[in-house]
Amino acid sequence: MKLLAPLLLALSLLSDSSYGQEAAAGESTTKHEYQSDVARLRKIVIESLYSHREVFLRELISNANDAIEKLRLTALKDKTIWDGSAPLNITLQLIKGEEGSDGKLIISDTGIGMTPQELKTNLGTLAKSGTSEFLAKAEESKTSTGNGNLIGAFGLGFYSSFLVADKVYVASVPPATPANPNPVQHIFSSSADDASFEVYQDPRGNTLGRGTEITLVLKKDALEYLEEEKIKNLVAKHSGFASSFPVYLHTTKVEEQPIPQDDLDTSAEEDTPKSEDEDEAVVEDAPEKVENTEVKTRSVTVEEWVHLNDQPPLWSRDPKDVTDEEYKNFYKATFKQYQDPVLWHHFKGDSGPVSFRALIFVPESLPEDYWQSPQSTQQDTRLMVKRVFITSEFGDHKLPKWMSWIKVIIDADDLPLNVSRETLQSNRFLKQIKNIVTARFIQTMTKTAEEDPEKYLQVLKTYNTIMKLGVIESAMEGKSGNRDKLTGLIRWDTTLRNNISLQDYVDARKEGQNQIFFLANIGQSIENMRHSVFVEKLVARGYEVVLMTDTMDEILVSNLRVFGNMRFQDAAKKGLQYGDEDVEKEKKDLEKFKEDYKPLVDFFVKSTKEAVKDVIISNRLVTSPCAIVVDSFGYSANMEKLLASHGKKSALQDYASKQKVLEINPRSPLIEALLKRVMALPEEEGERDKDEELELKEIVSILIDGALIRSGFEVMESNIFFERVDRALRRSLGVSETAKTEVEVNPAPPKAQEPLPELNEPSMDPNDFMEMKDFKDSLAPELDRTFGSPRLKKPERQVVFDANEAREKMKDVDMDDIVVEAVKHVEL
């Protein structure tokens, strides 16, 4: 960074240049009273106007940006005030007091500067906006300079300084002009509680060359703003893109650097004692040369200028001029992500009188806690006005749950803000942001699906379920447009194909088919579902069935109901129709089967008790002997599992769960054999063989329980079911049902008489798990790999101090304890 020579001098002598701003003894100062009611208004500004006092830094950086922009625009007409080569930048300096109980924050710019009269006018008048006045003059003169990137619109920004400062000094000097070739640097000073301010000549002389320097004497409870990381985070949050000019932070750090060999040799010569008799010759054997591999180091304090806003606002550029790598780097730096985005969309638009530019990023993965809460509390939609961050809180207009993970930057040319620029006033554009982002996201996904299907399928590994949630929420909000578009973006597996859309299904429908057949079963594999008892007939006839394995699939269907003029038909429910049936023939065949199988149906009804609501003859099945289906208003096995995971059943759920129907396949050899056995029983119950009847009832119970399991339901008494299976297996193998297993079981010892011994608590000392040195050595490369290194300006000088003295001061510091404590608070 190229800094002006006076500024460099000021930075090298921080204590002298920043603390000597009081008027010199005997120097005449002019005290001015604020305008009427200013004391009351300033109190409102300091105590009530701003809800977060951290915005003071945003306001001051915005003012500094405007000062530099005014210089640049004015220089278009008058080259004498700036030749175009002198650097334009904003600098921040943090100066801590010797005892850590006080400190100063200094914000400097190389902008237009102010004369004593301008200091009095612009800073001594509440709600006076120099920016607004500048724009008004430019408009009146109808110059071609335009507005540039002027941010400020209120004179209240400067007074936000008193949110964190007890006293404020503003040193400023305008550029030299032919009319004023030797401008004098003046200071405006005021305290938070004073009803007056002073303007006087700076006793330090012209230390700025040109521009303004604001020194905040921080309050006791605002010393956190002397921490470098705090300032970096605030600039990144509020002003990372606000200024067109670089913002630098002056930092210092201590590094261990190797001592040059020349310094080591000089030190060794000074430590060698001289002989008392220099004339006496001393002959000694030359000692063997021993290589010393130890590298000696010393502690060096390094000063660095860190560029805080090195990421350009990509949204302000033409998308054709931005590379993919620039988008990826911007995303990771701005949103603190370590993975590249999978998709992004860069666009501009108009909403009524508001023009805006925006960037939408689709992350590679969802937040870890995304599915843990019903509504995401943190959203990363950043609204800016002229590149100044305004808010991420949209209240009732925030993005819905299904889109709360998306990363968005929207930069509007102008919006009605409250006077603190913290919150938006009621505005139509604010209400439309949700619709704009949603529409653009759907547009991006649709374009990707059409132009790059393989990439789209990779994206859907994370976001297919998200789209389903979007369909459900859109349906509940009554937004059928978004619902239908999102439905078309979802991909499904079927009994015939993988990764198809519902539109693909509709396009491939059979002649006369007016239903979308689907089967839902949470957590089941696709291959297993393709062999489900419910799709036997459909698969045999060549119909395609959509297979649904996600938790919310059946909820989605219940909200969607129709797609492409085709209704959804659950293959696991009663009343399955294909659309090409010969109704009369099937009705005739069914009546014959009902008459022939009436004895077996009656026997099933008597044996089922409460397991099923009804037993019927069905033409649904091909190879399976029987299956459990539900009525149209009943809950499928999949829905029962979903509702059971939420706890206690309601009366409606209890009723719906009992709407199970046992469908019997009359063409199954097993059913035919069972019918013969039942018909062989005497009609009079007293004449029946009890063992024979009991065995048949057991077979029926096994068939019903087996059908429940195959259909995805739970067996009410699983232990009894397996006991029945065990007996059936014994009979089939010729093993006696009463035969017992011969095994010797040792009895447990007698009751314990002695008390239990005390257990030692497990150690939590990290040294018990790995060597601390190894742990610390492994920590550094991981942090470097993860976070990288900031772009730093190497200093032109280094301050070297005695390493032994530094080590003496640090001897009581236990670095192991520091590392252990840090690990507790850091997530790698």
Side-chain angles (χ1 to χ4, degrees):
M1 179 183 73
K2 297 180 179 179
L3 289 173
L4 296 173
L7 183 56
L8 278 175
L9 177 62
L11 295 176
S12 63
L13 301 172
L14 289 174
S15 59
D16 296 334
S17 63
S18 60
Y19 281 84
Q21 299 185 55
E22 296 287 353
E27 181 73 24
S28 62
T29 63
T30 305
K31 180 170 287 191
H32 305 274
E33 296 293 328
Y34 284 109
Q35 292 181 352
S36 61
D37 291 333
V38 160
R40 183 171 60 86
L41 290 175
R42 286 177 77 224
K43 185 176 181 181
I44 293 174
V45 171
I46 296 170
E47 297 181 0
S48 305
L49 183 61
Y50 294 93
S51 58
H52 303 287
R53 66 177 183 174
E54 66 182 30
V55 299
F56 83 93
L57 191 59
R58 181 197 70 185
E59 297 296 290
L60 297 183
I61 290 177
S62 296
N63 290 347
N65 173 86
D66 287 358
I68 300 176
E69 187 70 2
K70 291 175 193 176
L71 175 76
R72 187 185 68 82
L73 295 176
T74 305
L76 296 177
K77 295 187 300 181
D78 185 0
K79 298 291 185 182
T80 61
I81 65 171
W82 182 57
D83 58 7
S85 61
L88 303 177
N89 52 51
I90 302 167
T91 60
L92 308 174
Q93 306 164 54
L94 312 176
I95 304 176
K96 296 182 179 180
E98 294 182 0
E99 298 181 358
S101 60
D102 60 352
K104 296 186 178 183
L105 172 59
I106 302 175
I107 299 98
S108 306
D109 67 69
T110 56
I112 193 71
M114 290 178 281
T115 64
Q117 182 58 38
E118 288 172 334
L119 284 172
K120 176 184 175 182
T121 303
N122 292 342
L123 303 184
T125 304
L126 197 65
K128 171 69 176 179
S129 174
T131 297
S132 299
E133 185 175 340
F134 180 85
L135 289 175
K137 289 181 179 179
E139 188 174 336
E140 289 175 5
S141 62
K142 300 187 183 299
T143 64
S144 60
T145 61
N147 293 346
N149 182 38
L150 291 167
I151 302 169
F154 305 101
L156 296 176
F158 165 73
Y159 288 97
S160 65
S161 305
F162 294 106
L163 294 170
V164 297
D166 285 324
K167 191 162 188 177
V168 178
Y169 299 94
V170 182
S172 191
V173 59
T177 62
N180 185 17
N182 298 303
V184 178
Q185 184 168 310
H186 282 73
I187 287 180
F188 167 98
S189 71
S190 181
S191 297
D193 299 329
D194 288 348
S196 62
F197 61 91
E198 294 180 329
V199 177
Y200 52 87
Q201 187 172 333
D202 194 334
R204 303 170 301 175
N206 189 346
T207 62
L208 299 176
R210 181 195 69 243
T212 301
E213 173 192 86
I214 300 177
T215 302
L216 309 180
V217 181
L218 296 177
K219 298 177 180 180
K220 298 291 185 182
D221 62 349
L223 298 181
E224 60 181 309
Y225 298 106
L226 294 176
E227 301 299 328
E228 293 177 2
E229 287 303 316
K230 179 75 173 179
I231 297 300
K232 290 178 183 178
N233 292 336
L234 287 182
V235 173
K237 177 181 178 181
H238 293 289
S239 307
F241 308 103
S243 177
S244 304
F245 309 99
V247 179
Y248 294 96
L249 174 65
H250 181 262
T251 65
T252 60
K253 66 178 181 180
V254 177
E255 292 182 352
E256 289 293 324
Q257 297 184 357
I259 302 175
Q261 188 61 41
D262 292 343
D263 292 355
L264 290 174
D265 295 341
T266 302
S267 177
E269 290 177 3
E270 293 176 354
D271 294 340
T272 303
K274 293 183 178 181
S275 173
E276 295 181 359
D277 189 355
E278 295 182 358
D279 296 333
E280 182 179 350
V282 178
V283 180
E284 295 181 354
D285 294 334
E288 293 183 5
K289 189 174 183 180
V290 179
E291 288 191 11
N292 184 9
T293 58
E294 181 183 356
V295 178
K296 295 186 177 181
T297 62
R298 62 184 173 187
S299 298
V300 178
T301 300
V302 181
E303 298 180 0
E304 298 170 323
W305 285 101
V306 181
H307 191 178
L308 299 183
N309 60 338
D310 57 346
Q311 284 295 325
L314 291 187
W315 63 83
S316 62
R317 294 167 54 185
D318 189 328
K320 298 178 182 178
D321 300 332
V322 186
T323 65
D324 289 353
E325 198 61 30
E326 286 179 304
Y327 281 121
K328 293 175 182 178
N329 292 336
F330 175 86
Y331 167 78
K332 289 189 283 189
T334 303
F335 296 102
K336 310 304 180 190
Q337 300 292 309
Y338 308 113
Q339 298 173 317
D340 291 335
V342 292
L343 292 174
W344 57 83
H345 184 39
H346 183 178
F347 62 97
K348 63 180 179 179
D350 298 290
S351 178
V354 179
S355 297
F356 64 92
R357 292 175 177 267
L359 265 175
I360 293 176
F361 290 98
V362 178
E364 184 172 297
S365 58
L366 295 171
E368 292 183 1
D369 61 345
Y370 180 80
W371 297 108
Q372 306 303 317
S373 58
Q375 177 62 47
S376 181
T377 55
Q378 294 184 345
Q379 299 195 358
D380 221 336
T381 302
R382 305 182 184 184
L383 178 62
M384 299 185 174
V385 175
K386 293 184 178 179
R387 302 195 300 190
V388 177
F389 173 78
I390 301 300
T391 186
S392 285
E393 301 294 333
F394 295 91
D396 295 337
H397 309 300
K398 64 183 176 182
L399 295 177
K401 165 73 176 180
W402 73 273
M403 280 198 65
S404 59
W405 43 266
I406 202 167
K407 311 293 183 184
V408 184
I409 290 179
I410 297 179
D411 186 13
D413 291 343
D414 191 23
L415 281 177
L417 305 174
N418 70 348
V419 75
S420 69
R421 297 199 292 185
E422 286 185 288
T423 55
L424 286 164
Q425 297 176 6
S426 179
N427 182 262
R428 179 186 174 189
F429 179 68
L430 182 64
K431 301 176 182 178
Q432 291 180 337
I433 287 177
K434 177 169 68 173
N435 295 333
I436 292 171
V437 173
T438 302
R440 291 291 182 164
F441 169 73
I442 294 175
Q443 177 183 332
T444 303
M445 296 293 280
T446 304
K447 183 179 179 182
T448 305
E450 294 172 352
E451 298 179 356
D452 194 345
E454 290 186 7
K455 181 178 181 180
Y456 184 68
L457 291 180
Q458 289 296 318
V459 174
L460 288 188
K461 288 182 179 179
T462 300
Y463 293 101
N464 205 39
T465 306
I466 290 294
M467 305 282 209
K468 296 173 184 177
L469 179 60
V471 171
I472 296 170
E473 291 192 353
S474 298
M476 294 174 67
E477 293 177 2
K479 297 181 178 179
S480 58
N482 289 343
R483 180 199 65 190
D484 295 341
K485 291 176 183 177
L486 287 169
T487 302
L489 291 171
I490 300 170
R491 295 295 181 263
W492 311 87
D493 291 330
T494 72
T495 51
L496 302 178
R497 297 179 284 175
N498 292 326
N499 300 314
I500 71 164
S501 67
L502 288 181
Q503 188 59 51
D504 295 333
Y505 183 97
V506 172
D507 294 340
R509 70 190 183 278
K510 301 294 184 182
E511 188 71 31
Q513 180 185 352
N514 56 12
Q515 300 176 92
I516 297 175
F517 301 114
F518 75 92
L519 178 64
N521 201 338
I522 299 173
Q524 285 289 325
S525 68
I526 295 298
E527 194 59 34
N528 187 44
M529 292 182 68
R530 283 172 175 161
H531 295 87
S532 171
V533 63
F534 297 117
V535 299
E536 283 182 1
K537 188 74 170 283
L538 290 164
V539 171
R541 295 201 60 197
Y543 283 96
E544 191 169 19
V545 182
V546 178
L547 305 176
M548 301 181 173
T549 58
D550 281 345
T551 305
M552 62 184 68
D553 285 342
E554 204 162 352
I555 303 175
L556 178 147
V557 170
S558 64
N559 281 276
L560 196 58
R561 298 180 182 274
V562 177
F563 182 86
N565 295 321
M566 295 181 70
R567 293 187 176 278
F568 285 90
Q569 171 62 54
D570 190 345
K573 287 194 174 183
K574 185 180 176 183
L576 183 64
Q577 295 180 347
Y578 309 98
D580 64 341
E581 295 93 346
D582 185 340
V583 179
E584 291 299 325
K585 182 178 183 302
E586 289 193 3
K587 183 178 180 181
K588 183 178 179 180
D589 292 343
L590 194 58
E591 289 296 330
K592 185 177 184 305
F593 278 126
K594 285 182 179 179
E595 182 179 349
D596 293 343
Y597 281 81
K598 187 176 186 306
L600 181 60
V601 170
D602 292 341
F603 190 83
F604 264 92
V605 170
K606 292 178 182 178
S607 304
T608 55
K609 297 182 180 179
E610 297 180 357
V612 294
K613 173 187 176 183
D614 197 6
V615 180
I616 63 174
I617 300 297
S618 170
N619 60 0
R620 168 198 297 269
L621 305 171
V622 177
T623 59
S624 298
C626 58
I628 298 290
V629 298
V630 293
D631 272 339
S632 300
F633 299 103
Y635 286 155
S636 65
N638 185 66
M639 185 61 74
E640 275 198 7
K641 292 175 186 176
L642 183 60
L643 295 174
S645 65
H646 291 276
K648 187 177 179 181
K649 288 184 178 180
S650 65
L652 177 61
Q653 293 174 10
D654 187 58
Y655 168 80
S657 65
K658 293 179 179 179
Q659 305 306 302
K660 300 181 182 70
V661 176
L662 176 66
E663 292 193 356
I664 298 175
N665 180 8
R667 296 179 177 87
S668 168
L670 181 59
I671 296 299
E672 289 177 350
L674 188 58
L675 173 63
K676 292 177 182 179
R677 293 274 305 266
V678 171
M679 291 184 68
L681 292 174
E683 292 186 8
E684 296 294 332
E685 292 188 9
E687 299 177 1
R688 295 177 181 178
D689 184 339
K690 298 299 182 182
D691 292 336
E692 175 72 9
E693 185 177 13
L694 183 62
E695 182 180 345
L696 287 175
K697 286 184 178 180
E698 198 163 73
I699 292 173
V700 168
S701 296
I702 291 175
L703 280 173
I704 294 173
D705 288 344
L708 285 168
I709 293 173
R710 292 192 65 185
S711 302
F713 294 98
E714 290 186 2
V715 177
M716 290 185 291
E717 298 173 332
S718 59
N719 289 329
I720 296 177
F721 166 67
F722 287 110
E723 287 176 3
R724 290 170 181 157
V725 172
D726 180 68
R727 287 193 294 270
L729 291 174
R730 284 170 176 255
R731 287 193 296 266
S732 67
L733 295 173
V735 178
S736 173
E737 296 181 25
T738 58
K740 296 183 179 179
T741 304
E742 294 184 3
V743 61
E744 185 177 345
V745 179
N746 294 326
K751 179 181 177 182
Q753 302 297 324
E754 299 294 330
L756 289 171
E758 292 186 4
L759 291 178
N760 294 326
E761 290 292 331
S763 173
M764 298 304 293
D765 186 352
N767 290 296
D768 291 343
F769 297 94
M770 66 183 298
E771 291 294 332
M772 180 52 64
K773 182 178 183 303
D774 295 339
F775 174 73
K776 289 189 290 186
D777 291 344
S778 65
L779 193 63
E782 176 65 19
L783 292 176
D784 290 341
R785 183 189 68 78
T786 304
F787 297 102
S789 303
R791 297 184 182 182
L792 302 176
K793 157 85 178 161
K794 288 297 182 183
E796 299 182 5
R797 68 185 184 91
Q798 294 182 339
V799 181
V800 182
F801 60 87
D802 188 353
N804 292 327
E805 179 182 350
R807 292 189 181 97
E808 182 66 25
K809 292 181 179 179
M810 294 292 291
K811 68 181 182 180
D812 295 329
V813 178
D814 190 337
M815 292 304 297
D816 287 355
D817 287 347
I818 292 177
V819 173
V820 172
E821 190 63 22
V823 170
K824 294 178 182 177
H825 297 86
V826 176
E827 245 184 53
L828 292 180

